[in-house]
Amino acid sequence: EAGFVVAMPEHQGDNYKDTSGIGPASWRRRPAEVSRAIDAVARDVRFGPLLKLDKVGMYGMSAGGHTALTLAGGRWAPARIARHCDAHIAEDFQSCVGLTAQLRGDAFDTIKIWSALNVIRWRFSDAGWQSYRDPRVAAVIAGVPFAVDFDPASFG
């Protein structure tokens, strides 16, 4: 009634039913999956005529927020996560390793930090810039994205 058409893609290997592919590989795929969702809705005889393809908006939260920032022109590199965690692992441990892990101020913290940094450096070693732009996406809202891997200058 308000003139909006909403589509929600289910991202391959990175959705509530399947988390087998979360992380940088998924973050590379997600923007193109959003573009394909826009294409599919545009081809639909019911919705296609209602669309203004020069005014597509996107809302994403968490990994969806990362996708939104990419579609807004942001460029990112997985190695920037490793760099962030190398510099801030103690104060940002849960962001670097996940919400279920935490430092407890005991003797195991040193082992946890050492282990986490080794895995992070291996998993997020790619320093190559990633970007994807769909000119139809004119506005984005990025809710709580983990954005330390983005180049802030790319949003200028």
Side-chain angles (χ1 to χ4, degrees):
E1 290 179 15
F4 293 97
V5 176
V6 178
M8 232 170 64
E10 188 172 285
H11 297 286
Q12 176 189 344
D14 191 357
N15 63 70
Y16 75 100
K17 295 185 287 188
D18 178 9
T19 60
S20 64
I22 60 172
S26 170
W27 303 340
R28 286 182 191 96
R29 285 191 309 268
R30 281 171 153 265
E33 291 173 339
V34 169
S35 289
R36 288 193 299 275
I38 296 167
D39 294 340
V41 175
R43 284 191 307 270
D44 189 288
V45 295
R46 297 164 295 167
F47 302 117
L50 304 173
L51 299 181
K52 294 184 179 169
L53 291 174
D54 61 334
K55 295 181 179 180
V56 174
M58 187 204 163
Y59 170 81
M61 190 165 182
S62 191
H66 193 281
T67 305
L69 291 176
T70 302
L71 285 163
R75 70 180 190 155
W76 57 277
R80 291 177 61 96
I81 293 172
R83 192 167 73 205
H84 167 80
C85 293
D86 274 341
H88 304 285
I89 189 77
E91 66 266 25
D92 205 11
F93 191 75
Q94 287 185 305
S95 293
C96 292
V97 302
L99 296 176
T100 59
Q102 59 185 323
L103 298 177
R104 299 193 186 277
D106 58 25
F108 294 109
D109 284 359
T110 303
I111 296 167
K112 289 178 191 176
I113 289 172
W114 179 84
S115 300
L117 286 175
N118 281 303
V119 170
I120 291 164
R121 289 174 187 144
W122 167 75
R123 186 161 187 225
F124 300 102
S125 62
D126 182 2
W129 288 115
Q130 305 294 317
S131 63
Y132 183 95
R133 184 87 173 103
D134 186 324
R136 300 172 295 183
V137 177
V140 302
I141 297 172
V144 294
F146 188 61
V148 298
D149 56 342
F150 280 91
D151 171 14
S154 64
F155 296 107

